[in-house]
Amino acid sequence: MQTLGSFVEDSWWFSTDPGQPVLDATTGEEVARLATRGLPTEAMVRFARDVGGPALRALGFQDRGALLGALGAYLSEHVDTLHDASAVAGATARDAWFDVEGGIGVLYSYASLAKRSLPEGNVLRDGEVERLDRGGRFAGRHIFVPRRGVEVQINAFNFPVWGPLEKLAPALLAGMPTIIKPASQTAPVTHRLVQLIIDSGLLPPGALQLVAGGAEDLLDHLGPQDTIAFTGSAATAELLRSHPSVRTRGTHLTVETDSLNASILGPDAVPGTNEFDLYVSQLVDELTIKAGQRCTAIRRALVPASLVGPVVEAATERLSAVTVGDPRRPDVVMGPLASLAQRAEVRARIDELARAADVVVGGDLDDVLGADPERGAFVAPTLLVARDADRDEPHRIEAFGPVATVLGYQDPQHAAKLAARGAGSLVASVVSADARVVDELVMELAPWHGRILVLDATSAPASTGHGSPLPRLLHGGPGRAGGGEELGGMRAVTRHLARTAVQGTPSVLGRIAAQWVPGAPRHLGEHPFRKPTSALQLGDAISAGPRIVTADDIAAFAALSGDHFYAHTNPEAAAANPLFGGIVAHGYLVVSLAAGLFVDPEPGPVLANYGVDNLRFLTPVRPGDALSVTLTAKEITPRAGMPYDEVRWDAEVTRDGDGAIVARYDVLTMVARTWPLEAD
Ligand code: NDP
């Protein structure tokens, strides 16, 4: 049987060891062998740091985002081969969809995040500039930059495609190379994924390597710039936490472990309501998707004590329609577990749970569709009912398969206490249309859960479900769930970056973060609206004014806009206003007058004004005040594929005489890259 290669220093590497077999989850036949004895782990880490890291950093956030998009498109063309590989690990077409299409979705999500929210280059600004002296000569700002290390991801067996991709996407975007170590049980699926990625030719050398088998001494070579992203058992997490690289050398460790997720049925959701039906169908879905091998699956179904009977009855009826068998057959709803070892593990956990709960659905499987029930890793969908909801077992024992326990609660407070007995979980769901119950439970569940889904008849048609982590929302949980955080949009990117506070003159801060900073020199000369972005420099500015604001201006603006607010039109009422003490100009009049001062009216490279950010009116403007404005090119953001870029201008409107700042805001414009515009 073929031994799977590891991808090492840009080529496939094979051990001479005969290795360990991996079996088909359905037939028990050997499908591959894994061997990593002699793996050059130190060289892998060095190659990632010395070759992969610099190559990724040479690209910048925008190019890396585009790369993720291209990778998503490439893998989308090869989903069939990934589905075929997944079937070997026991996945039905529906299971594989969550894993494969779900993983590709993460790539697309991070590609789009890069487009929307990340700059060119490798410096990501974090917050605003902090002024550190009165004279404006010394300031500080936080920035994120790529770490100089490698991310080693250690994955669980249950999501051999989504697992690697959800970790790879933010790491790549951040500019960090990755070494993937899949779980041995489903390594052939991840191996296929990595083969595809390598064949795509999209990633630079060193950006991705693969350990197909045991990790050997890989972690011994990690240091303070490196990260380990782990998903798996609490026992392995414990080993990793005490590993010398983590304990003494500062390697950053993220952990996702087991989780006794709860789903709570509200007291209002009695039989006959939409919410009751939603609850039962979600419970059955969570039990059967991926044969319950989802870290987010419902393990504890918390229902009002009086509704235990109806819930069990409805769930039993639905579960009786679940066909178990060969995952390749279209008439099969649920396939086997990933391996015989997992089946032994799950059977043992069900026996432990049965000490405190009655099995109402489940037991031995005499027959499965198209497969031998003993040679394949089959387990029947299993529903238990706790004899006493407060007993320890259902809150402590995780059977990582198609297994859930129904527990009756007395009132919502009791339900919240029971949910917290899981000691920290990835997700909880509340199925209820009662606002009081929902609000109380969400507040009680929040400290114990990484994600909370509130489901009712209104949200149901659009809901993504209890068990599906989303790229833009946090995935992780406190306490027993490991304390780690993954995904969450930008949060996962910044977790792969290093944050530092840089102090210096405004000029220094502006250069480092590619943004003009107040206090840095301005260049007053040719009107900056005459310059295309190919000629525009940060700091190019125009100062204009004064413009005296008259009482007639204010009255005319009120008439034109229809804004007759008393502070602009009624002298007596305005005098009584404690903030103004008399008639003041409309804020939008001030902004309009400022535009009248700084705009260059002739056709030129400025194509459009598309908004303002951070607009603040800081000093009231009274009739007779003279206003001046300074507009400074603050930031240029390239628009890939367009003949123009986005230019952000710092606008500062001041009152002549005392120099008080009347208004401050950013003006956003689209400016041609060349002028006249070059035809394609
Ligand atoms: P393990 O912790 O045994 O394995 C997880 C990963 O860690 C595998 O890739 C494994 O590799 C690797 N590993 C194990 N020991 C070491 C080590 N000393 N050094 C480096 N890597 C190591 O978990 P399982 O996959 O067996 O899953 C068991 C339990 O994990 C489940 O029952 C469930 O409770 C939990 N789990 C949690 C998930 C979550 O997202 N929160 C998801 C899936 C599982 P190898 O396979 O080669 O041993």
Side-chain angles (χ1 to χ4, degrees):
M1 183 50 64
Q2 184 208 1
T3 301
L4 298 182
S6 292
F7 194 66
V8 173
E9 294 187 87
D10 216 27
S11 53
W12 291 98
W13 175 96
F14 295 88
S15 173
T16 51
D17 203 54
Q20 298 297 318
V22 181
L23 309 184
D24 183 298
T26 308
T27 63
E29 284 164 15
E30 186 176 320
V31 290
R33 297 188 81 83
L34 299 176
T36 49
R37 184 176 295 170
L39 189 73
T41 50
E42 191 172 3
M44 288 177 87
V45 170
R46 213 179 317 114
F47 191 70
R49 284 192 200 131
D50 296 349
V51 179
L56 284 172
R57 293 196 296 275
L59 294 176
F61 290 116
Q62 282 300 319
D63 289 344
R64 293 193 294 266
L67 200 150
L68 288 179
L71 197 54
Y74 182 84
L75 292 178
S76 295
E77 289 168 14
H78 294 85
V79 289
D80 288 348
T81 164
L82 289 170
H83 275 242
D84 289 347
S86 305
V88 173
T92 62
R94 174 175 73 155
D95 298 340
W97 184 88
F98 279 101
D99 193 26
V100 175
E101 277 86 340
I104 293 171
V106 177
L107 295 178
Y108 282 135
S109 179
Y110 275 91
S112 127
L113 178 105
K115 256 194 189 156
R116 278 181 284 116
S117 315
L118 286 169
E120 294 274 308
N122 283 308
V123 176
L124 175 63
R125 294 184 291 270
D126 177 30
E128 296 303 315
V129 170
E130 304 284 344
R131 290 182 64 162
L132 299 175
D133 77 336
R134 283 174 185 277
R137 290 157 305 182
F138 188 52
R141 88 172 314 156
H142 296 89
I143 57 168
F144 285 109
V145 294
R147 290 168 188 259
R148 296 302 195 258
V150 55
E151 168 144 304
V152 174
Q153 44 163 274
I154 303 178
N155 292 303
F157 64 84
N158 58 339
F159 279 102
V161 177
W162 180 86
L165 292 182
E166 63 107 12
K167 295 180 172 86
L168 180 69
L172 261 183
L173 194 48
M176 242 186 144
T178 291
I179 298 174
I180 297 178
K181 191 242 161 299
S184 293
Q185 298 174 65
T186 51
V189 189
T190 309
H191 183 269
R192 190 74 198 97
L193 170 73
V194 172
Q195 267 183 336
L196 285 171
I197 297 177
I198 299 305
D199 290 351
S200 77
L202 289 163
L203 296 194
L208 182 63
Q209 298 179 82
L210 171 74
V211 175
E216 300 290 300
D217 60 352
L218 175 66
L219 304 184
D220 294 352
H221 308 297
L222 301 184
Q225 290 285 315
D226 305 315
T227 60
I228 303 171
F230 171 75
T231 304
S233 67
T236 308
E238 210 39 55
L239 276 179
L240 296 179
R241 285 196 178 99
S242 57
H243 191 282
S245 293
V246 174
R247 223 184 46 230
T248 60
R249 287 197 292 276
T251 302
H252 182 84
L253 172 68
T254 310
V255 168
E256 304 271 340
T257 48
D258 43 332
S259 180
L260 287 153
N261 313 293
S263 180
I264 303 178
L265 179 69
D268 56 301
V270 295
T273 60
N274 283 327
E275 282 72 24
F276 181 88
D277 294 342
L278 286 168
Y279 184 85
V280 174
S281 93
Q282 176 169 268
L283 177 61
V284 170
D285 278 351
E286 291 295 320
L287 205 70
T288 53
I289 294 171
K290 290 203 68 86
Q293 300 167 107
R294 289 211 289 180
C295 47
T296 49
I298 297 169
R299 302 286 170 218
R300 296 176 297 154
L302 303 181
V303 309
S306 60
L307 296 182
V308 169
V311 167
V312 169
E313 195 183 324
T316 305
E317 193 188 325
R318 281 174 180 260
L319 283 170
S320 67
V322 172
T323 46
V324 179
D326 183 343
R328 297 166 183 89
R329 286 177 61 137
D331 53 346
V332 161
V333 174
M334 198 178 92
L337 300 184
S339 67
L340 293 173
Q342 249 345 87
R343 183 179 69 182
E345 175 78 16
V346 169
R347 283 178 173 171
R349 297 289 92 79
I350 294 174
D351 288 348
E352 283 180 41
L353 284 168
R355 286 189 218 132
D358 299 319
V359 176
V360 290
V361 180
D364 290 341
L365 273 174
D366 301 327
D367 205 15
V368 297
L369 288 177
D372 178 336
E374 273 314 301
R375 285 179 67 84
F378 297 99
V379 170
T382 305
L383 195 65
L384 301 99
V385 176
R387 290 190 280 276
D388 173 358
D390 288 300
R391 268 189 69 151
D392 183 46
E393 287 86 342
H395 308 293
R396 179 171 53 78
I397 297 162
E398 184 196 41
F400 202 70
V403 184
T405 305
V406 181
L407 301 103
Y409 70 77
Q410 304 307 321
D411 53 40
Q413 283 223 324
H414 186 215
K417 279 204 177 106
L418 291 175
R421 292 271 303 276
S425 306
L426 295 170
V427 54
S429 55
V430 179
V431 187
S432 168
D434 181 330
R436 198 183 50 79
V437 169
V438 166
D439 295 358
E440 180 183 345
L441 282 175
V442 168
M443 289 309 293
E444 290 299 320
L445 296 171
W448 295 100
H449 297 85
R451 179 165 62 85
I452 301 169
L453 166 73
V454 179
L455 188 63
D456 59 23
T458 309
S459 65
S463 171
T464 43
H466 171 105
S468 298
L470 300 176
R472 284 194 267 168
L473 300 184
L474 213 58
H475 174 55
R480 180 170 175 165
E485 289 186 347
E486 291 180 344
L487 299 177
M490 188 65 92
R491 294 168 189 83
V493 181
T494 54
R495 278 193 292 277
H496 287 88
L497 298 168
R499 176 164 37 203
T500 185
V502 182
Q503 294 168 275
T505 61
S507 298
V508 169
L509 300 185
R511 281 201 310 276
I512 298 285
Q515 188 187 55
W516 179 85
V517 171
R522 292 184 168 101
H523 325 296
L524 295 162
E526 184 188 2
H527 194 300
F529 279 21
R530 305 306 316 159
K531 297 183 182 178
T533 54
S534 54
L536 189 70
Q537 301 286 316
L538 297 185
D540 284 354
I542 159 104
S543 277
R547 167 68 156 87
I548 295 171
V549 182
T550 66
D552 285 350
D553 287 334
I554 298 171
F557 192 77
L560 180 66
S561 66
D563 177 351
H564 296 285
F565 186 62
Y566 73 89
H568 314 308
T569 53
N570 181 336
E572 274 173 30
N577 180 307
L579 294 180
F580 301 137
I583 291 283
V584 293
H586 303 68
Y588 302 120
L589 171 58
V590 171
V591 169
S592 303
L593 293 177
L597 289 173
F598 65 64
V599 160
D600 180 80
E602 296 306 316
V606 176
L607 305 176
N609 167 8
Y610 81 102
V612 294
D613 271 354
N614 309 321
L615 172 60
R616 286 289 179 279
F617 302 119
L618 301 166
T619 308
V621 174
R622 300 175 195 291
D625 283 352
L627 303 182
S628 293
V629 63
T630 302
L631 192 78
T632 311
K634 182 174 179 180
E635 198 180 323
I636 303 172
T637 307
R639 287 286 170 112
M642 300 294 177
Y644 52 80
D645 301 312
E646 177 194 305
V647 179
R648 177 179 290 265
W649 307 83
D650 176 87
E652 186 181 85
V653 184
T654 52
R655 182 168 64 193
D656 287 11
D658 63 358
I661 297 176
V662 164
R664 164 149 252 164
Y665 47 101
D666 288 354
V667 176
L668 304 171
T669 57
M670 294 303 183
V671 179
R673 206 162 292 134
T674 57
W675 190 254
L677 272 173
E678 269 170 20
D680 282 344

